[in-house]
Amino acid sequence: MKQQFSSKTLVTLFCGAALTFNVLAQNSQSTVIVSGSRFEENLNEVPANVQVITREEISESTSTNIPDILSQIGGLNIRNTAGGQLNLGATIDMGGYGPTAKDTTLVLVDGQRINPIDSSNISWESIPLDSINRIEILRGGASVQYGNGALGGVINIITNGGKSNLNQVSTSYGSFNTLVNNAIFRNTIEQTTLQLSANTSNTNGWRQNSAANAYSFDAKVIQSLGGKDNVYADLFYSYSNQQMPGGTLGQVGQGNPQLAKFNNIGSGNTANNTGLRVGLAKELSSMFQLEVDGFYSNKTTFFNQPYYSTAASGVGSYPTISPSFTNYDGWQANFSPRIKGNFGSLGTSIVGYEFNKANQSSASTYSAIMNQVAPSQGAVVSPLASSTNASLYNQSIYFIGKLPVTRSIDLDGGYRYQTQSASANGVSIWSGTTNPNPNQTYSANAGDVAFNFKYREGQRVYVKWNQSYRFPNVDEFWGWSSAGGSPQFGGILKPQTAQTYELGGNWQLPQANITASIFTSVSQNEILYNPATYNNSNSPYEINRNGANLNLLSAITSKLSIGGGGTIQNAFYANGPYQNQAIAQVPNLLLNARATYVLSSNWSLGGVVNYVSNQHYDAAPSSYNSLTVMPSYTVADVYANYKTGNWETRLTVKNVGNAQYATYGGYGYVQLPNNSSGNSYYYYANDPRSVYVSAKYTF
């Protein structure tokens, strides 16, 4: 693989950053977060591995979208099957969950979940970049606090920037005709703060059939009620239109990665996402504090694949029967009140309740060509039509407590009990109506216990046990017919659980801040796709995950600031026929190093380097031993920044070494150009070197 930066060079950079502790960094004592208990509290009081990415760090980065920020500053593993500079549909893997990472990382906006109930991607574009005040990354399970889906970690995007006025616009233009515009207007009049933010993003894409555009708008009103009391309403809307180039056949580096897969030419999806978030914080007395929040969101997606309307799709001895158009429509509503009690020397406690209801449906339309060839293969529905519908009803109660054991040691713990009632029905073109009224109710428990030892101001060590869980997504109730692209009902699956032991800490040294942790976990009933049956199922085998994480933020001199971090991880089957075999798409080593150097009051330089080690292609476990692995890659971005008055301009070079790499690849049964099928490697190539010029003006 062609790349200009070697892994040895990056390891050297990382070690140099990690050993520099004698300079000033952010003060963890004054850092306020909400990811630990859902109420604002000092970072030093939270027995968890939490990294806070500030608005200043975001503005000093080379990133123009949230997944880039999480990769370049947070050091997280990012995968994307569409590529492109906008990073639409990117998946974040926290904890080494591989192919199911999207479903085990919980993403929040101001403490409220934005994960869809199906397996579609997070709508990162729904959050204008300029609306973000900070991003909190909590590594490890957090189902006690947040319930379903918080197995690998939590990303909490905070958009409440306080009462300070901020009026700013920015634009960026560069390679592949990519144009990104951002704006934020925040003003406070007496006790009312109005914040309006918007984003527009457009690109032609480097690959064939990879153009994309996205638009988002967010309007937030915060009304202070005196003291810590406030109420807010947040209205959001986003639109995205993304072409889908598909994978390149062969191993990474083979073939022409710039070309779209033959049956993906012209394909793409359009999504509209709208909703409302509301919240209330009220101090009931000197001892009790109430918080209530809720949201409603509705998302519609239209997916089209014109190839299956052409004559070429109907040739061959066994053509794949697939829809040309599919509509997805889903909504969900959430309501969560909680009360925090402060009992002085006896500690604090939180009692909460959460209610969630959601529905997701899909309807697929097949072309005339598909209607001609499908009956000969056994289709029983004519004209062809397939559909699915699922409804979820969730309730949970939880308790979180903190008990001071000594002046410097706290005992933290919590428990959550959640039930989910699911119903599903659908129509398959091969069997007609399937399971017209299946209903199933499952429950799951979460718990954690931790000792937090604050042995010195700004320094702490914690030890923690945690159990977290996730319920299946609604489309994991269905698999795929072996005859082609029609869903078949596979059953409502049990929730997946994982127990984790963790040791970590945060050290505010005289002039540096370090966060680190080590962990080991074991999961049961892991929800995985089985290529042999074309269905999702609960794995009968346990899966172990072990790892360690380090993050450093420091300022070497008044002019030079550095950051760095790394993750070592291992995920493998603990028992069964694949015992000790690695989980696909889990690199064993992630390294990150970044630096900013101020040349003068006007000029500054910066850069970031990410290294991802090799990993297994996504494939059936029985295939691993005979397959090669995806190669490691190193990607670096650099920039030069100029400020004068209210203006700021920047020149950015992304992937400066022009690395040819892929963040996702697989091996399996694929459709070939002559409309035959067979097993093959495939991968999704990322963009080569690109150059951007941006400008920002603050009113």
Side-chain angles (χ1 to χ4, degrees):
M1 176 177 298
K2 178 183 177 183
Q3 56 185 35
Q4 302 298 319
F5 292 87
S6 69
S7 59
K8 181 178 180 181
T9 301
L10 185 56
V11 171
T12 302
L13 288 172
F14 168 71
C15 292
L19 292 174
T20 307
F21 300 144
N22 59 345
V23 283
L24 180 64
Q26 69 180 16
N27 189 336
S28 66
Q29 287 293 298
S30 62
T31 302
V32 175
I33 69 166
V34 297
S35 292
S37 68
R38 301 192 70 154
F39 283 83
E40 289 190 352
E41 60 184 325
N42 191 291
L43 178 59
N44 209 43
E45 300 294 324
V46 181
N49 184 337
V50 182
Q51 178 185 357
V52 179
I53 300 175
T54 65
R55 181 177 178 85
E56 290 72 23
E57 289 179 288
I58 294 172
S59 65
E60 290 295 332
S61 73
T62 63
S63 308
T64 56
N65 55 77
I66 296 173
D68 260 359
I69 292 168
L70 296 172
S71 171
Q72 296 183 0
I73 305 177
L76 300 181
N77 187 25
I78 309 298
R79 291 199 298 272
N80 199 328
T81 58
Q85 296 297 307
L86 306 188
N87 248 332
L88 301 179
T91 293
I92 313 297
D93 189 350
M94 295 179 68
Y97 280 85
T100 63
K102 187 200 72 64
D103 309 313
T104 56
T105 299
L106 183 60
V107 182
L108 312 168
V109 173
D110 297 326
Q112 302 195 55
R113 65 176 61 235
I114 64 171
N115 294 67
I117 64 169
D118 63 3
S119 293
S120 61
N121 296 304
I122 299 290
S123 296
W124 302 106
E125 69 279 4
S126 69
I127 312 161
L129 197 62
D130 277 355
S131 71
I132 300 173
N133 183 54
R134 68 182 186 272
I135 301 176
E136 301 165 1
I137 301 174
L138 189 157
R139 291 176 170 86
S143 286
V144 170
Q145 295 87 351
Y146 291 104
N148 180 32
L151 276 168
V154 176
I155 297 167
N156 194 4
I157 301 168
I158 307 298
T159 65
N160 182 5
K163 296 182 178 180
S164 59
N165 291 348
L166 177 63
N167 299 297
Q168 185 175 274
V169 295
S170 64
T171 185
S172 174
Y173 179 78
S175 300
F176 324 122
N177 200 28
T178 302
L179 177 64
V180 178
N181 301 304
N182 283 285
I184 181 171
F185 301 95
R186 183 174 68 225
N187 286 273
T188 298
I189 302 175
E190 295 182 348
Q191 301 299 311
T192 305
T193 300
L194 174 63
Q195 178 174 291
L196 304 176
S197 51
N199 168 271
T200 67
S201 303
N202 297 272
T203 183
N204 288 346
W206 172 66
R207 296 189 63 192
Q208 179 187 16
N209 201 71
S210 67
N213 54 75
Y215 311 97
S216 63
F217 173 78
D218 187 280
K220 189 171 188 177
V221 179
I222 305 171
Q223 178 65 47
S224 175
L225 303 176
K228 296 182 179 180
D229 298 350
N230 67 81
V231 61
Y232 78 87
D234 186 5
L235 178 67
F236 62 90
Y237 170 77
S238 68
Y239 165 88
S240 65
N241 182 18
Q242 181 180 22
Q243 294 181 337
M244 309 297 291
T248 300
L249 296 181
Q251 299 181 41
V252 176
Q254 295 179 348
N256 186 343
Q258 195 169 6
L259 297 180
K261 191 169 183 290
F262 74 97
N263 58 339
N264 274 73
I265 296 175
S267 69
N269 66 63
T270 301
N272 285 276
N273 187 24
T274 185
L276 175 68
R277 305 181 190 98
V278 294
L280 166 70
K282 175 68 176 175
E283 198 167 37
L284 302 177
S285 68
S286 60
M287 185 178 293
F288 294 103
Q289 182 181 352
L290 170 69
E291 286 190 359
V292 181
D293 59 43
F295 70 84
Y296 172 83
S297 64
N298 186 289
K299 184 177 181 181
T300 60
T301 304
F302 175 72
F303 177 76
N304 71 93
Q305 199 159 6
Y307 173 80
Y308 294 103
S309 296
T310 67
S313 65
V315 302
S317 59
Y318 201 68
T320 298
I321 310 301
S322 189
S324 298
F325 308 101
T326 304
N327 285 290
Y328 301 90
D329 191 4
W331 62 266
Q332 61 174 315
N334 199 84
F335 173 69
S336 178
R338 51 196 174 271
I339 293 178
K340 180 178 182 179
N342 190 334
F343 304 104
S345 61
L346 297 178
T348 61
S349 63
I350 299 169
V351 177
Y353 166 79
E354 191 161 4
F355 165 84
N356 179 280
K357 192 168 185 180
N359 181 269
Q360 177 76 43
S361 62
S362 72
S364 296
T365 303
Y366 296 76
S367 68
I369 296 294
M370 295 292 97
N371 274 275
Q372 291 174 11
V373 300
S376 64
Q377 297 184 33
V380 299
V381 175
S382 182
L384 300 183
S386 61
S387 63
T388 64
N389 182 272
S391 296
L392 303 177
Y393 180 85
N394 291 275
Q395 291 191 87
S396 62
I397 55 173
Y398 61 93
F399 169 82
I400 303 170
K402 180 188 296 290
L403 176 65
V405 178
T406 69
R407 187 175 181 178
S408 58
I409 299 177
D410 292 334
L411 172 62
D412 295 74
Y415 174 79
R416 179 184 285 253
Y417 175 76
Q418 179 169 346
T419 61
Q420 181 180 97
S421 298
S423 62
N425 56 74
V427 174
S428 166
I429 64 173
W430 308 111
S431 56
T433 300
T434 60
N435 296 293
N437 191 32
N439 296 281
Q440 182 68 60
T441 298
Y442 286 115
S443 63
N445 300 283
D448 59 32
V449 178
F451 282 99
N452 193 29
F453 180 25
K454 300 166 288 184
Y455 60 92
R456 184 178 296 178
E457 183 177 354
Q459 300 185 29
R460 65 185 174 92
V461 175
Y462 67 88
V463 59
K464 181 179 182 179
W465 171 87
N466 170 273
Q467 174 168 297
S468 291
Y469 59 84
R470 87 162 176 103
F471 287 90
N473 295 318
V474 293
D475 53 350
E476 288 176 319
F477 302 162
W478 282 272
W480 295 99
S481 167
S482 59
S486 178
Q488 63 179 16
F489 188 75
I492 297 174
L493 306 178
K494 298 177 182 178
Q496 171 182 336
T497 59
Q499 299 81 39
T500 302
Y501 294 89
E502 183 179 353
L503 173 66
N506 178 265
W507 296 271
Q508 178 66 40
L509 301 178
Q511 297 172 335
N513 186 62
I514 307 166
T515 302
S517 66
I518 58 175
F519 70 91
T520 180
S521 73
V522 58
S523 69
Q524 302 85 27
N525 293 321
E526 188 139 340
I527 301 170
L528 299 172
Y529 177 70
N530 187 340
T533 64
Y534 302 99
N535 279 328
N536 300 288
S537 60
N538 291 112
S539 174
Y541 315 118
E542 294 183 339
I543 295 177
N544 286 358
R545 292 176 172 88
N546 307 307
N549 173 266
L550 170 70
N551 184 71
L552 162 77
L553 181 64
S554 182
I556 303 300
T557 68
S558 60
K559 294 181 176 292
L560 177 62
S561 299
I562 66 166
T567 298
I568 300 172
Q569 60 186 5
N570 188 22
F572 57 93
Y573 286 94
N575 51 32
Y578 311 119
Q579 186 172 1
N580 297 322
Q581 184 168 287
I583 301 299
Q585 293 293 283
V586 179
N588 294 127
L589 180 62
L590 306 167
L591 295 175
N592 167 270
R594 55 195 186 276
T596 301
Y597 185 75
V598 179
L599 295 171
S600 67
S601 59
N602 300 111
W603 285 96
S604 62
L605 305 174
V608 60
V609 188
N610 277 10
Y611 168 79
V612 179
S613 67
N614 56 28
Q615 54 195 305
H616 286 274
Y617 285 92
D618 189 5
S622 58
S623 303
Y624 282 13
N625 292 334
S626 60
L627 299 180
T628 61
V629 296
M630 292 179 61
S632 62
Y633 58 89
T634 305
V635 182
D637 297 352
V638 296
Y639 72 85
N641 200 73
Y642 179 76
K643 293 182 180 179
T644 178
N646 294 341
W647 282 98
E648 180 177 350
T649 58
R650 176 173 298 187
L651 174 67
T652 302
V653 182
K654 301 178 72 66
N655 191 7
V656 66
N658 202 31
Q660 299 176 11
Y661 70 103
T663 59
Y664 177 80
Y667 177 86
Y669 204 62
V670 298
Q671 192 170 1
L672 302 174
N674 61 0
N675 221 4
S676 62
S677 299
N679 288 318
S680 174
Y681 289 96
Y682 57 91
Y683 67 97
Y684 294 79
N686 280 63
D687 289 357
R689 182 190 297 117
S690 54
V691 181
Y692 296 90
V693 177
S694 61
K696 181 187 297 183
Y697 183 79
T698 302
F699 296 91

